[in-house]
Amino acid sequence: MRSQATATRMIDDARVRVTRFDFAPDAETGWHRHTMDYVITAITDCHMRLELPDGTVNDVTVPAGTAYRRDEGVEHNVINAGDDPMSFVEVELK
């Protein structure tokens, strides 16, 4: 059983919800579905393993300081597949 990533809410107002996620090696978010469009900005190099509902597993690296966006509806489990802790900030657009 994997440990859980730590989610720290930074802002939650009428327009955005901002959460920092910190993962030990092999920690996970647990399965979740995004109900809002969102942007992720990597604080550290993030070696992510993404488990998808259809059984697909994707390994991706998001370099520190870079960002990506996704539309609402994404469902997945995010795992730190690296040997070092990883952190990113998620901004959800209300």
Side-chain angles (χ1 to χ4, degrees), residues 13-67:
D13 63 20
R15 299 185 66 189
V16 298
R17 180 169 33 205
V18 180
T19 308
R20 177 181 170 138
F21 288 89
D22 294 290
F23 296 73
D26 202 45
E28 67 182 352
T29 56
W31 283 95
H32 60 282
R33 183 179 182 279
H34 290 268
T35 59
M36 295 176 258
D37 294 348
Y38 66 99
V39 176
I40 296 293
T41 302
I43 297 171
T44 65
D45 288 339
C46 293
H47 303 287
M48 298 179 183
R49 177 161 294 135
L50 305 172
E51 296 178 336
L52 305 176
D54 66 1
T56 303
V57 175
N58 294 326
D59 286 339
V60 298
T61 297
V62 181
T66 63

Side-chain angles (χ1 to χ4, degrees), residues 60-90:
V60 298
T61 297
V62 181
T66 63
Y68 68 85
R69 68 166 296 281
R70 297 286 182 265
D71 294 331
E72 70 174 297
V74 171
E75 185 176 355
H76 57 196
N77 181 26
V78 179
I79 303 159
N80 179 359
D83 295 328
D84 298 312
M86 78 174 192
S87 300
F88 60 79
V89 173
E90 175 184 88

